[in-house]
């Protein structure tokens, strides 16, 4: 995500992501579901205080997930942010992505992601 502080406790902005989680899964009946890597283009928001130090945060996102189909999806997450007094910091986040639209087979409708990155003040 490319968040920007929009209020005392809210960051929001565009999000572009790639997850190399393609694979396949077979059931006991012999049916196989397969899915490709996932691209995401959307908007994300984080609810977190701007105070320096280590702080937890919650996140929500909405966007288009592109695999074999284009899917409208939602993500919910939580993480930890270490924030410097000067405006930058480090983030680590765990998110659940759910894609309720489209015709793809389960388990491609949902996935967990773990992300880590740095932020800087603009």
């Amino acid at each position: 995500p490319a968040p920007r502080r929009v209020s005392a406790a809210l960051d929001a902005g565009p999000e572009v992501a790639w997850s190399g989680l393609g694979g396949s899964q077979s059931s006991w009946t012999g049916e196989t579901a397969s899915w490709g890597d996932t691209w995401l283009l959307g908007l994300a928001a984080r609810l977190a205080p701007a105070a320096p130090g280590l702080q937890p945060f919650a996140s929500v996102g909405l966007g288009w997930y592109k695999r074999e189909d284009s899917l409208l999806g939602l993500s919910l997450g939580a993480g930890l942010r270490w924030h410097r007094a000067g405006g930058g910091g480090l983030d680590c986040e765990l998110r659940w992505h759910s894609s309720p639209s489209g015709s793809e087979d389960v388990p491609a409708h949902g996935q967990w992601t773990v992300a880590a990155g740095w932020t800087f003040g603009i």
Side-chain angles (χ1 to χ4, degrees), residues 11-114:
D11 295 335
E15 176 175 46
V16 176
W18 169 77
S19 301
L21 300 174
S24 64
Q25 182 175 353
S26 297
S27 70
W28 64 274
T29 62
E31 296 178 356
T32 301
S34 61
W35 60 97
D37 293 349
T38 303
W39 286 92
L40 164 63
L41 177 62
L43 298 173
R46 291 180 176 166
L47 182 62
L54 188 62
Q55 303 283 339
F57 66 87
S59 62
V60 63
L62 179 67
W64 288 104
Y65 291 78
K66 176 66 178 153
R67 286 188 288 264
E68 286 74 27
D69 288 342
S70 292
L71 308 166
L72 178 62
L74 175 70
S75 66
L76 301 171
L80 287 174
R81 169 182 288 162
W82 175 75
H83 189 71
R84 290 188 340 213
L90 299 172
D91 293 347
C92 184
E93 180 180 27
L94 177 66
R95 287 170 80 178
W96 168 249
H97 302 264
S98 177
S99 302
S101 69
S103 61
E104 291 185 342
D105 293 326
V106 173
H109 270 12
Q111 67 185 25
W112 286 97
T113 58
V114 177

